[in-house]
Amino acid sequence: MEGGDFSHYRAAFSILLDYRIDAPPILQDFLTYHEAIQGHSKRTVDEYFLDLRNFFRYIKIEKNLVPRSAEFDSIEINDIDLALIQSVTLADVYSYMNYLSRDRAQHPNSDQTEYGLKATSRARKVAAIRSFYKYLANKAKLISENPMQDLDSPRMKKALPRYLDLNSSIQLLESVDGPFQERDRCILTLFLNCGLRISELIGLNKTDVRGDQLRVLGKGNKERILYLNDACIHSLQDYLDVRDTMQPIDLRALFLSRRRTRISKAAVEKLVKKYLLKAGLDASQYSPHKLRHTAATLMLQNGVDVRTLQEVLGHDNLNTTQIYTHIDNENLRLAAKANPLGKVNPPSKKKSSIPQESED
């Protein structure tokens, strides 16, 4: 892969690249590297492509390569070459970020759109630009220095994750009934005990259940093994007893739809909302991902250290996991009460001995 010759990868994965026919070869090679070598999902690679396409559309306008009156979303980028890519500076990127935060339509195809992308959207675009230039410098060896090495991301507000408390979690599990109750209870049990992502749950195969272990394929096709507690083991066994009588069309899938094929993301989201409502909880505030937050929070509150939690959740970066350490919980209250000075009360106020002046 040295020297930037990814032509053999591009040929092998030409089918994957059909929808990127307007991308120049240098960008196609980058996208192929992420999809075929890094194992990133098609959705992630699509987002990289769209983000970089818009960035180079802006660069072409700023470098006077197209008229400033040109329709932004119609600007072609298949003529982008290495010389133009090397000419981009940090100042160009920050100018682009300014354009995104002030002038870029949030919904370009809507007449009712607002303008200015949120920090989270801009941060994703920064990540795409940074990744592209890192690839050119470190993998393709097409540039000697990475001009985006010091590129900063927009500052973002860190909101604490929303989660269910223990009683609400039990309430949710007890709300499950109906013809698919074994399947649905098993899904909720895995969310609340293992902290799975929804993509990980629907991707589970029957062979991933291995006694008291569960093989999970996470982001970037990274495999991890989770140990199952009694609730998960019993719930899985109850569901598998039913599943084996369903005559599955998809023999590999662990969780089946009513059509006996692999359950979809939409179906899982729908059943979670259904039982949230049935349990009397606010379905607009919670989702499968909030159940993942719930699992993480309950584990941390009950003695799991943050590094172990990082492995359970499949986080690459410990900083991602540490957000859960800031959640108000009983451990923090106990820590406050443990300080011996907490029982030292301030002295009571003494009456002043200074004589008061008369009011006459």
Side-chain angles (χ1 to χ4, degrees):
M1 292 189 291
E2 297 294 325
D5 183 13
F6 282 79
S7 58
H8 53 300
Y9 286 111
R10 189 162 69 244
F13 290 89
S14 59
I15 295 176
L16 297 176
L17 298 172
D18 284 346
Y19 55 87
R20 304 184 197 120
I21 55 175
D22 60 340
I26 193 170
L27 181 51
Q28 289 188 15
D29 289 341
F30 166 74
L31 298 171
T32 302
Y33 170 76
H34 274 278
E35 190 160 10
I37 309 303
Q38 292 292 88
H40 290 165
S41 69
K42 180 178 180 296
R43 178 179 176 182
T44 297
V45 175
D46 286 347
E47 289 174 348
Y48 271 145
F49 169 61
L50 296 174
D51 288 340
L52 290 170
R53 184 176 66 178
N54 278 355
F55 172 62
F56 284 113
R57 282 171 171 170
Y58 177 85
I59 292 300
K60 288 185 73 172
I61 293 175
E62 290 300 299
K63 303 287 186 182
N64 297 315
L65 298 176
V66 294
R68 289 194 171 267
S69 59
E71 179 73 29
F72 186 89
D73 292 322
S74 298
I75 297 173
E76 299 288 343
I77 65 160
N78 53 14
D79 58 345
I80 296 292
D81 58 16
L82 186 60
L84 178 61
I85 291 169
Q86 287 181 299
S87 73
V88 177
T89 64
L90 278 176
D92 292 327
V93 180
Y94 292 138
S95 176
Y96 177 59
M97 290 297 113
N98 188 56
Y99 157 75
L100 293 177
S101 66
R102 290 173 175 267
D103 303 322
R104 180 63 177 167
Q106 294 180 8
H107 306 286
N109 296 323
S110 172
D111 294 335
Q112 308 298 321
T113 186
E114 295 182 0
Y115 290 84
L117 301 187
K118 295 180 180 179
T120 50
S121 297
R122 286 181 277 125
R124 192 191 76 184
K125 298 178 189 308
V126 165
I129 295 168
R130 188 189 289 128
S131 180
F132 179 56
Y133 277 88
K134 181 179 178 181
Y135 157 83
L136 293 177
N138 298 346
K139 298 297 180 182
K141 308 293 186 184
L142 291 175
I143 57 178
S144 57
E145 293 184 4
N146 181 0
M148 303 303 155
Q149 187 168 342
D150 297 323
L151 177 59
D152 295 323
S153 291
R155 188 182 298 273
M156 293 183 289
K157 294 180 181 178
K158 291 187 177 180
L160 294 178
R162 187 181 296 276
Y163 63 97
L164 297 172
D165 61 22
L166 178 59
N167 289 335
S168 296
S169 299
I170 295 172
Q171 201 174 326
L172 178 61
L173 289 169
E174 291 178 343
S175 71
V176 178
D177 61 7
F180 297 96
Q181 60 182 298
E182 291 85 4
R183 181 201 66 184
D184 296 351
R185 185 178 293 111
C186 188
I187 287 174
L188 293 177
T189 299
L190 291 181
F191 274 141
L192 290 169
N193 284 274
C194 300
L196 297 179
R197 300 178 177 97
I198 188 170
S199 58
E200 294 171 345
L201 181 128
I202 64 178
L204 288 172
N205 292 322
K206 186 180 177 183
T207 54
D208 291 329
V209 182
R210 305 169 181 178
D212 67 343
Q213 297 179 9
L214 184 69
R215 173 186 172 273
V216 178
L217 199 61
K219 285 187 175 181
N221 288 329
K222 293 181 180 177
E223 180 181 317
R224 68 185 189 276
I225 299 296
L226 298 180
Y227 288 90
L228 301 171
N229 57 27
D230 288 344
C232 291
I233 293 172
H234 293 151
S235 188
L236 274 165
Q237 190 56 59
D238 289 345
Y239 167 62
L240 287 171
D241 289 343
V242 174
R243 180 197 178 278
D244 291 341
T245 68
M246 293 176 63
Q247 298 180 330
I249 293 175
D250 188 331
L251 298 176
R252 299 179 63 211
L254 175 60
F255 291 111
L256 302 174
S257 68
R258 64 181 64 218
R259 296 184 179 89
R260 296 173 290 138
T261 58
R262 186 180 297 272
I263 197 168
S264 68
K265 178 182 177 183
V268 173
E269 290 171 338
K270 184 177 179 180
L271 75 85
V272 169
K273 293 290 184 184
K274 168 188 170 183
Y275 292 117
L276 284 167
L277 288 169
K278 196 170 183 298
L281 302 170
D282 189 348
S284 67
Q285 297 296 315
Y286 299 100
S287 64
H289 203 68
K290 298 299 187 293
L291 301 188
R292 173 173 160 86
H293 292 330
T294 298
T297 305
L298 292 177
M299 281 187 270
L300 198 64
Q301 288 177 344
N302 287 274
V304 176
D305 67 87
V306 70
R307 287 202 174 272
T308 301
L309 184 60
Q310 178 189 6
E311 291 188 34
V312 171
L313 297 178
H315 286 159
D316 286 335
N317 195 319
L318 185 62
N319 290 337
T320 308
T321 315
Q322 285 178 329
I323 188 172
Y324 297 105
T325 65
H326 301 299
I327 296 174
D328 175 49
N329 59 47
E330 190 60 28
N331 289 340
L332 299 181
R333 293 189 182 92
L334 291 174
K337 292 177 181 178
N339 192 319
L341 293 176
K343 297 180 180 180
V344 178
N345 295 319
S348 58
K349 291 184 179 180
K350 296 180 180 179
K351 291 184 178 180
S352 174
S353 59
I354 299 176
Q356 300 294 319
E357 292 184 359
S358 64
E359 296 182 358
D360 54 24

